[in-house]
Amino acid sequence: GIVGHLDPDVAAADAVAPAEPVEAPSRSPLARLWHEHRRPLVPLVLSWACVSASYYGLAYSAGALSKRVVLNFVLLNVADVPGYFAAGYLTKLGGTEPVMVLFSCLAGVSLVLVALKAP
């Protein structure tokens, strides 16, 4: 105030110290992951949901393949195991994204064909 103009020592004591930088509140690891990788995470989560739904559909209708449980298990693995090897090989050749798109489209077409055949 006025006294500070008269005495320089009082003016120095009245001065407001500069504010220290305030750190932003830290985010949880999940929030940081979402914030930094939102664009690739959205299609990945959608794809994961579709794959989970298709596996649920396969497991739910596995009993319709045959009356024998062991034969159902064998038939599902006959289709599953070569798919894993093909996915690994094609991923080395063309990368992850094209293989994911290809296999998702093949799964979609297969599910539509099965749905059309169902009574």
Side-chain angles (χ1 to χ4, degrees):
I2 289 195
V3 177
H5 290 292
L6 302 175
D7 187 3
D9 292 332
V10 173
D14 274 350
V16 176
E20 294 189 24
V22 177
E23 291 184 22
S26 63
R27 294 183 176 165
S28 71
L30 189 60
R32 190 172 43 245
L33 176 73
W34 175 254
H35 180 72
E36 294 172 4
H37 303 287
R38 181 179 359 205
R39 294 194 89 197
L41 273 176
V42 170
L44 181 67
V45 168
L46 289 174
S47 178
W48 173 75
C50 292
V51 168
S52 295
S54 65
Y55 272 121
Y56 171 76
L58 285 172
Y60 183 72
S61 64
L65 295 174
S66 170
K67 300 273 186 219
R68 298 184 336 205
V69 175
V70 174
L71 183 58
N72 287 337
F73 176 77
V74 170
L75 289 174
L76 285 174
N77 284 313
V78 163
D80 212 18
V81 172
Y84 289 134
F85 286 114
Y89 179 72
L90 291 174
T91 299
K92 281 190 173 189
L93 289 179
T96 305
E97 192 170 318
V99 172
M100 186 108 161
V101 170
L102 172 69
F103 275 53
S104 294
C105 290
L106 287 173
V109 168
S110 298
L111 289 172
V112 167
L113 291 175
V114 169
L116 292 174
K117 186 180 180 250

